[in-house]
């Protein structure tokens, strides 16, 4: 059980994600094409650490007809300079990239394991168009970042895995966040987590694993929608695929 699987199971329980997607990604390990923004993020992480994309391909920049990089990729090359400055300024020493945590029940892949002030720590690299956004679930504004549960679950999960694997009381975790809208804006967050939060997260992971196994036994359901289906990579073989909107009943009195 990974933190990404826990997130997608939560969406599935709300009818916002299809069971076929979960099975394809987490049972059959099918590779899914990255969106343009995801591939831009893959390229940036490759520039910073040499890490390949999760499906194993080497990210390549978009080259214009005149031979120059597209605006977005040129921008991320500039942001790479910010990454290097942060590493040097704060004395991070990179030890490993794409580090696999795992035990009998839980797993996770950390972007970077580094050494800072004599302690091993975890760095997760993010690129975003929402660096100043304080309203949405995935906005990174410092005004509301502490309330963003969907962002912090990754920090809680990786800290928990590292503490279990390395046998230490705490492991520092950092988000390095870089704007993909300009070449200047970037943020660093160190996430601290209390004992109760670790306990709740582990219980949620255990319940998520039990729910996953139950759905696997009983059969995952699909929740098709016109928007999701139009962009789904499984649409050519999915028996629940729709290309017209469903008829929805409304009750007026």
């Amino acid at each position: 059980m990974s933190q990404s699987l826990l997130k997608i199971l939560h969406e599935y329980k709300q009818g916002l994600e299809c069971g076929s997607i979960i099975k394809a990604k987490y049972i059959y390990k099918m590779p899914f094409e990255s969106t343009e923004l995801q591939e831009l993020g893959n390229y940036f992480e490759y520039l910073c650490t040499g890490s390949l994309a999760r499906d194993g391909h080497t990210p390549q920049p978009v080259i214009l007809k005149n031979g120059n990089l597209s605006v977005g990729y040129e921008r991320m090359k500039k942001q790479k300079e910010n990454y290097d400055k942060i590493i040097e300024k704060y004395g991070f020493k990179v030890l490993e990239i794409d580090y696999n945590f795992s035990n009998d029940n839980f797993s996770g892949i950390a972007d970077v394991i580094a050494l800072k002030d004599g302690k091993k720590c975890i760095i997760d690299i993010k690129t975003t168009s929402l660096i100043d956004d304080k309203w949405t679930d995935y906005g990174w504004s410092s005004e509301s970042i502490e309330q963003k549960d969907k962002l912090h679950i990754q920090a809680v999960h990786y800290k928990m895995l590292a503490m279990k694997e390395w046998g230490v009381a705490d492991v520092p975790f950092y988000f390095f966040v870089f704007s993909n809208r300009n070449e200047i804006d970037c943020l660093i967050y160190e996430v601290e987590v209390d004992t109760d939060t670790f306990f709740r997260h582990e219980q949620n992971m255990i319940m998520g694993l039990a729910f996953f196994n139950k759905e696997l036994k009983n059969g995952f359901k699909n929740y098709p929608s016109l928007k999701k289906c139009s962009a789904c990579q499984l649409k050519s073989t999915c028996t629940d695929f729709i290309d017209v909107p469903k008829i929805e009943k409304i009750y007026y009195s």
Side-chain angles (χ1 to χ4, degrees):
M1 172 67 74
S2 65
Q3 57 88 25
S4 61
L5 177 53
L6 185 64
K7 287 179 183 176
I8 200 171
L9 285 174
H10 180 67
E11 293 177 350
Y12 170 76
K13 289 177 74 173
Q14 296 177 298
L16 301 175
E17 187 56 273
C18 288
S20 292
I21 296 292
I22 296 174
K23 289 191 295 184
K25 285 185 175 181
Y26 294 96
I27 298 175
Y28 303 120
K29 308 297 183 182
M30 286 179 56
F32 276 69
E33 292 182 9
S34 300
T35 65
E36 290 183 10
L37 284 180
Q38 287 171 340
E39 191 63 11
L40 185 62
N42 291 339
Y43 176 73
F44 179 68
E45 190 173 335
Y46 175 70
L47 284 181
C48 293
T49 69
S51 173
L52 302 182
R54 287 289 181 256
D55 64 3
H57 80 271
T58 300
Q60 298 293 331
V62 174
I63 307 293
L64 303 176
K65 290 182 179 180
N66 61 10
N68 295 331
L69 294 179
S70 68
V71 173
Y73 284 83
E74 186 64 45
R75 186 178 293 144
M76 299 322 293
K77 283 190 69 176
K78 294 290 186 180
Q79 283 283 26
K80 200 270 185 182
E81 297 175 11
N82 292 328
Y83 170 84
D84 290 339
K85 289 177 185 177
I86 290 169
I87 292 291
E88 181 179 0
K89 175 71 175 180
Y90 291 103
F92 289 97
K93 180 183 178 182
V94 175
L95 301 177
E96 298 187 58
I97 62 170
D98 294 337
Y99 185 88
N100 279 275
F101 291 109
S102 65
N103 58 40
D104 291 342
N105 293 317
F106 313 132
S107 66
I109 303 175
D111 291 342
V112 177
I113 303 298
L115 197 66
K116 183 180 186 298
D117 302 326
K119 294 182 64 176
K120 287 172 77 172
C121 62
I122 302 168
I123 299 171
D124 194 80
I125 300 169
K126 300 293 188 188
T127 57
T128 182
S129 60
L130 302 172
I131 200 163
D132 295 321
D133 186 293
K134 61 182 179 181
W135 303 112
T136 63
D137 289 342
Y138 293 97
W140 288 94
S141 171
S142 59
E143 293 183 45
S144 59
I145 188 68
E146 292 184 352
Q147 285 75 49
K148 302 297 179 68
D149 292 337
K150 290 185 178 180
L151 298 180
H152 293 308
I153 186 175
Q154 187 174 11
V156 177
H157 188 66
Y158 287 7
K159 282 169 72 77
M160 181 190 75
L161 288 175
M163 290 158 60
K164 288 177 178 290
E165 185 167 319
W166 298 341
V168 295
D170 191 29
V171 176
F173 181 100
Y174 299 88
F175 282 121
F176 287 9
V177 188
F178 299 86
S179 174
N180 56 26
R181 292 289 182 89
N182 65 65
E183 60 191 51
I184 297 171
D185 287 339
C186 51
L187 298 166
I188 310 169
Y189 292 116
E190 180 178 1
V191 183
E192 296 186 352
V193 181
D194 59 35
T195 303
D196 289 343
T197 300
F198 282 127
F199 176 78
R200 288 195 302 272
H201 175 70
E202 186 163 8
Q203 293 305 303
N204 287 337
M205 295 295 291
I206 291 170
M207 289 188 292
L209 183 59
F211 176 73
F212 177 83
N213 288 329
K214 179 174 72 71
E215 291 300 292
L216 185 60
K217 179 180 179 180
N218 295 336
F220 279 98
K221 305 176 184 68
N222 287 331
Y223 300 99
S225 71
L226 184 60
K227 183 177 181 179
K228 284 193 308 178
C229 287
S230 66
C232 182
Q233 292 180 216
L234 305 179
K235 62 184 180 182
S236 63
T237 58
C238 180
T239 57
D240 293 314
F241 169 77
I242 61 173
D243 56 5
V244 294
K246 288 185 173 182
I247 298 174
E248 298 183 51
K249 289 185 179 181
I250 58 175
Y251 296 90
Y252 174 76
S253 60

